[in-house]
Amino acid sequence: MKKMLFVLFCLLGWALPASAQEPLPPIIPPEPPIWHFDGLRIAHQRVNVTIADQVAVTHIDQLFVNDNDWVLEGTYLFPLPAGAAVSQLTMWVDGIPIEAKILAKEEARAIYDEIVRQLRDPALLEYVGSSAIQANVFPIPAHAERRIEIEYSQVLPADNGLIHFTYPQSTHLYTNTPLDEQSIRVELASPEAIRAIYSPSHAVSIDRDGEFRALVGYEASRVTPDQDFELYYTVSPENIGLNLLSYKEAGQDGFFLLLVAPNVEVDPEEVVAKDVIIVLDTSGSMEGQKLAQAKEAARYVIDHLNPTDRYNIVTFSTGVRSFMPELTSVASRVDYAGFIENLEAVGGTNISLALLEAVGQADAERPLTILFLTDGLATEGITDTPNLLDAIDQAAPRSVRLFAFGVGDDVDTILLDSLAANHRGATTYVRPNQAVDEAVSGFYAKVSTPVLADVSLTVDGVVVEQLYPATLPDLFAGTQLIIVGRYREGGPAAITLSGQVNGQPQTFTYSDNLFRDSGGDAFIPRLWATRAIGHLLNEIRLHGENAELVQSIVNLSIRYGIITPYTSYLIEEDDIFSQTGRESVIEEAAANFAAPKEASGEAAVDAAAMAGALSEAEAPMAAPDLGLPTTGGGATVSAQELVRLVGSKTFVMRSGVWTDTAFDADTMQPQPVAFASDAYFDLLTIVPELGQYLALGEGVLVVHEGTAYQVMPGADTAPITPRATTSSDEPDAVVTPTPPPVTVPATPAADAGICPAALLVPLILLGAGLITRRRW
């Protein structure tokens, strides 16, 4: 969905009384102007995009509804993707073609600046550097609809096989009315095989049609879009494609992301032959629907094995039963369905004996996938978790991959997560309202066809570190692996991916990769921090509280705005910008982590599932609506009201100022800048990338290349020359006058029977930029 920016200037009461013969003197609007968001809504906004041979054709369909008792009319202003070379523009209003023009970024910037000066609102500064579409729009009568459609084309450049499509969207600052309906549909077609398809911004569905076509979809209702729609896809003739994205700020280590994606369709000879053992809990607590769904899941897995695979079924309660004495070939005609159907739930839970039986059948030369389903704690055999883990570790060869499914909330999360972590697997928690068979079958569909086992990664030319996942999983056909990490200095690098295919070593080398020296894809730092916090939370859960780990979690949470029930100090604590304040937060967090916590139960499963979701996240974590209490107690406040994520930065609301969490109160002296002053716009001209941060409001404190700038209404400042400073630098205070107040035509007094005094009421709504006025 395109960034539709409605800027509505509703002038109240243009009509004059019959007795009025002379114009009334102008009046000064109140400072700040009255904000009013009601009356205009967007019933739907549908975006259909086709991308073929790197040419993207974007069609936007918007339905605006005027719920007011008056007419709205004006000019349509529609910011375009930054840097996009747009052509073949077409626009319709209610199906009738109208004339529209593309404003160059300089023309658009002049309009944005004027609106900011007039309205005292900086929201449009987010679009600095972007061109825009401008057109006159027919009036929207009271309680009527107006349908606006736009279509334009742009060429998407390819960077070493990586193509990036952006659909800019307005943030919540532009409206307090969610879209009734939003949909984005992207059809991909490429003459080269499409490998990875990735959106860091939205949870999209991906439907692949072979190697060269795909359909990407996103739908939501009653939604306020708060970030641009970003889509990356890669093309490569290689069997396994690898592409690099990176981001680096001056004077800091960089962040990178690797998209690794094998073929969708694989030659049978290239599929890794594997063994699968289903270890199934049949204790008394599995009686009823849980066991019925587990049986269905087991049948699905065996029905979908590859021709070269082998399998077995191990069930356990007080004792253990195996379907066959050893692994059996898929080609063998044995009645596994009858064995599964006759399973009954009875007895205790002997987890250790079942897992030892399974790993004892492993062949060190073939990957063994263990699907372990249980709904309870160990009550038979080895019941002490550390001892049980040690026993499995000693018995299992390196070829074992263990995937645990915890059914319900009465499971040992420490045991399940440790088993998965120790044996290159993952844990899935199937909550009481979820179906076991759907969870298992959905998971197995992704891992049924391995194409590279024992995966490892090396980078030559650039020093990389702190990679997540720390242990790389196997690669499976039709899936993609997302790796994030840090690097020290930018430059060219060769990346090598190594692994095993049916016992034979395989190596894939990718040259011509460039780690950026500056700039890049700003979402990567927050994605890296999301995974890092998930990893650290798991380390504390599984191995106990550690002061360094707690400090790392606190620092990452504050810097990148990763809010969880365990890292909510961004909202709850006032002082997070000084060393003293941060130390207090770390002490409080350490006490929270050190408190004894149960390994099972609803809270334990919630914590395990959350940490797992963070550590495996494919997109940066957005600020959730936690409903946390304010520092004064009483009413609750959502995270979105106090935290804003902009680019790679995090801002928190403190004393009416959106404050950059990179600000250090002990070492930085903010440089004041008067909102909407000449110095304010000069700063924006010199450093246009600050526009996205200044768009937050009139009060913003942002750090750029070591200098802190504090934008304040009415402050006296002087012309600014931004410069990089060290922590010991103290920028000089500067002074310029604020602009004079803006006047608008007056309206008759309220006692004349006309609308109250004329007020400039700006209405900024998500949608298209429509500069309108209100007619009575």
PDB file of all heavy atoms in Angstrom, residues 464-476:
ATOM      1  N   VAL A 464      33.842 -10.856  10.477  1.00  0.00           N
ATOM      2  CA  VAL A 464      32.452 -10.928  10.923  1.00  0.00           C
ATOM      3  C   VAL A 464      32.400 -11.654  12.266  1.00  0.00           C
ATOM      4  O   VAL A 464      33.258 -12.474  12.583  1.00  0.00           O
ATOM      5  CB  VAL A 464      31.555 -11.655   9.894  1.00  0.00           C
ATOM      6  CG1 VAL A 464      31.586 -10.944   8.563  1.00  0.00           C
ATOM      7  CG2 VAL A 464      31.980 -13.107   9.717  1.00  0.00           C
ATOM      8  N   GLU A 465      31.376 -11.346  13.046  1.00  0.00           N
ATOM      9  CA  GLU A 465      31.225 -11.945  14.373  1.00  0.00           C
ATOM     10  C   GLU A 465      29.791 -11.808  14.844  1.00  0.00           C
ATOM     11  O   GLU A 465      28.975 -11.163  14.188  1.00  0.00           O
ATOM     12  CB  GLU A 465      32.173 -11.267  15.372  1.00  0.00           C
ATOM     13  CG  GLU A 465      32.055  -9.763  15.397  1.00  0.00           C
ATOM     14  CD  GLU A 465      33.267  -9.085  16.017  1.00  0.00           C
ATOM     15  OE1 GLU A 465      34.178  -9.802  16.479  1.00  0.00           O
ATOM     16  OE2 GLU A 465      33.311  -7.842  16.025  1.00  0.00           O
ATOM     17  N   GLN A 466      29.502 -12.450  15.977  1.00  0.00           N
ATOM     18  CA  GLN A 466      28.182 -12.390  16.612  1.00  0.00           C
ATOM     19  C   GLN A 466      27.077 -12.752  15.620  1.00  0.00           C
ATOM     20  O   GLN A 466      26.144 -11.986  15.404  1.00  0.00           O
ATOM     21  CB  GLN A 466      27.939 -11.003  17.214  1.00  0.00           C
ATOM     22  CG  GLN A 466      28.971 -10.599  18.258  1.00  0.00           C
ATOM     23  CD  GLN A 466      28.706  -9.234  18.843  1.00  0.00           C
ATOM     24  OE1 GLN A 466      27.739  -9.053  19.562  1.00  0.00           O
ATOM     25  NE2 GLN A 466      29.561  -8.277  18.518  1.00  0.00           N
ATOM     26  N   LEU A 467      27.193 -13.919  15.028  1.00  0.00           N
ATOM     27  CA  LEU A 467      26.212 -14.393  14.053  1.00  0.00           C
ATOM     28  C   LEU A 467      25.038 -15.078  14.753  1.00  0.00           C
ATOM     29  O   LEU A 467      25.213 -15.758  15.760  1.00  0.00           O
ATOM     30  CB  LEU A 467      26.855 -15.384  13.073  1.00  0.00           C
ATOM     31  CG  LEU A 467      27.529 -14.809  11.826  1.00  0.00           C
ATOM     32  CD1 LEU A 467      28.727 -13.957  12.196  1.00  0.00           C
ATOM     33  CD2 LEU A 467      27.951 -15.936  10.886  1.00  0.00           C
ATOM     34  N   TYR A 468      23.850 -14.866  14.202  1.00  0.00           N
ATOM     35  CA  TYR A 468      22.646 -15.567  14.652  1.00  0.00           C
ATOM     36  C   TYR A 468      21.891 -16.073  13.420  1.00  0.00           C
ATOM     37  O   TYR A 468      21.696 -15.312  12.490  1.00  0.00           O
ATOM     38  CB  TYR A 468      21.747 -14.634  15.476  1.00  0.00           C
ATOM     39  CG  TYR A 468      22.430 -14.120  16.721  1.00  0.00           C
ATOM     40  CD1 TYR A 468      22.879 -12.797  16.783  1.00  0.00           C
ATOM     41  CD2 TYR A 468      22.639 -14.948  17.816  1.00  0.00           C
ATOM     42  CE1 TYR A 468      23.519 -12.324  17.917  1.00  0.00           C
ATOM     43  CE2 TYR A 468      23.282 -14.474  18.955  1.00  0.00           C
ATOM     44  CZ  TYR A 468      23.714 -13.159  19.000  1.00  0.00           C
ATOM     45  OH  TYR A 468      24.359 -12.699  20.112  1.00  0.00           O
ATOM     46  N   PRO A 469      21.536 -17.390  13.431  1.00  0.00           N
ATOM     47  CA  PRO A 469      21.744 -18.347  14.516  1.00  0.00           C
ATOM     48  C   PRO A 469      23.219 -18.689  14.686  1.00  0.00           C
ATOM     49  O   PRO A 469      23.972 -18.726  13.713  1.00  0.00           O
ATOM     50  CB  PRO A 469      20.933 -19.560  14.073  1.00  0.00           C
ATOM     51  CG  PRO A 469      20.891 -19.462  12.583  1.00  0.00           C
ATOM     52  CD  PRO A 469      20.846 -18.006  12.270  1.00  0.00           C
ATOM     53  N   ALA A 470      23.585 -18.945  15.954  1.00  0.00           N
ATOM     54  CA  ALA A 470      24.982 -19.249  16.247  1.00  0.00           C
ATOM     55  C   ALA A 470      25.396 -20.577  15.618  1.00  0.00           C
ATOM     56  O   ALA A 470      26.532 -20.729  15.150  1.00  0.00           O
ATOM     57  CB  ALA A 470      25.191 -19.283  17.758  1.00  0.00           C
ATOM     58  N   THR A 471      24.484 -21.548  15.600  1.00  0.00           N
ATOM     59  CA  THR A 471      24.713 -22.831  14.928  1.00  0.00           C
ATOM     60  C   THR A 471      23.780 -22.902  13.734  1.00  0.00           C
ATOM     61  O   THR A 471      22.559 -22.811  13.890  1.00  0.00           O
ATOM     62  CB  THR A 471      24.430 -24.013  15.870  1.00  0.00           C
ATOM     63  OG1 THR A 471      25.284 -23.912  17.022  1.00  0.00           O
ATOM     64  CG2 THR A 471      24.678 -25.336  15.172  1.00  0.00           C
ATOM     65  N   LEU A 472      24.337 -23.037  12.538  1.00  0.00           N
ATOM     66  CA  LEU A 472      23.504 -22.995  11.338  1.00  0.00           C
ATOM     67  C   LEU A 472      22.735 -24.304  11.169  1.00  0.00           C
ATOM     68  O   LEU A 472      23.298 -25.388  11.329  1.00  0.00           O
ATOM     69  CB  LEU A 472      24.370 -22.744  10.105  1.00  0.00           C
ATOM     70  CG  LEU A 472      25.165 -21.428  10.103  1.00  0.00           C
ATOM     71  CD1 LEU A 472      25.926 -21.281   8.788  1.00  0.00           C
ATOM     72  CD2 LEU A 472      24.257 -20.230  10.326  1.00  0.00           C
ATOM     73  N   PRO A 473      21.461 -24.215  10.838  1.00  0.00           N
ATOM     74  CA  PRO A 473      20.676 -25.421  10.600  1.00  0.00           C
ATOM     75  C   PRO A 473      20.940 -25.983   9.210  1.00  0.00           C
ATOM     76  O   PRO A 473      21.598 -25.340   8.371  1.00  0.00           O
ATOM     77  CB  PRO A 473      19.234 -24.921  10.722  1.00  0.00           C
ATOM     78  CG  PRO A 473      19.310 -23.505  10.235  1.00  0.00           C
ATOM     79  CD  PRO A 473      20.646 -22.988  10.694  1.00  0.00           C
ATOM     80  N   ASP A 474      20.422 -27.173   8.949  1.00  0.00           N
ATOM     81  CA  ASP A 474      20.498 -27.737   7.602  1.00  0.00           C
ATOM     82  C   ASP A 474      19.631 -26.909   6.656  1.00  0.00           C
ATOM     83  O   ASP A 474      18.704 -26.207   7.074  1.00  0.00           O
ATOM     84  CB  ASP A 474      20.017 -29.187   7.607  1.00  0.00           C
ATOM     85  CG  ASP A 474      20.897 -30.086   8.464  1.00  0.00           C
ATOM     86  OD1 ASP A 474      22.046 -29.705   8.740  1.00  0.00           O
ATOM     87  OD2 ASP A 474      20.406 -31.160   8.871  1.00  0.00           O
ATOM     88  N   LEU A 475      19.938 -27.016   5.370  1.00  0.00           N
ATOM     89  CA  LEU A 475      19.150 -26.323   4.348  1.00  0.00           C
ATOM     90  C   LEU A 475      18.150 -27.290   3.725  1.00  0.00           C
ATOM     91  O   LEU A 475      18.486 -28.447   3.431  1.00  0.00           O
ATOM     92  CB  LEU A 475      20.058 -25.764   3.251  1.00  0.00           C
ATOM     93  CG  LEU A 475      20.778 -24.442   3.529  1.00  0.00           C
ATOM     94  CD1 LEU A 475      21.630 -24.071   2.322  1.00  0.00           C
ATOM     95  CD2 LEU A 475      19.798 -23.334   3.847  1.00  0.00           C
ATOM     96  N   PHE A 476      16.932 -26.790   3.493  1.00  0.00           N
ATOM     97  CA  PHE A 476      15.864 -27.615   2.944  1.00  0.00           C
ATOM     98  C   PHE A 476      15.305 -26.957   1.684  1.00  0.00           C
ATOM     99  O   PHE A 476      15.206 -25.733   1.597  1.00  0.00           O
ATOM    100  CB  PHE A 476      14.751 -27.801   3.977  1.00  0.00           C
ATOM    101  CG  PHE A 476      15.231 -28.400   5.260  1.00  0.00           C
ATOM    102  CD1 PHE A 476      15.644 -27.588   6.311  1.00  0.00           C
ATOM    103  CD2 PHE A 476      15.297 -29.776   5.417  1.00  0.00           C
ATOM    104  CE1 PHE A 476      16.107 -28.139   7.497  1.00  0.00           C
ATOM    105  CE2 PHE A 476      15.767 -30.339   6.595  1.00  0.00           C
ATOM    106  CZ  PHE A 476      16.168 -29.517   7.636  1.00  0.00           C
TER     107      PHE A 476
END
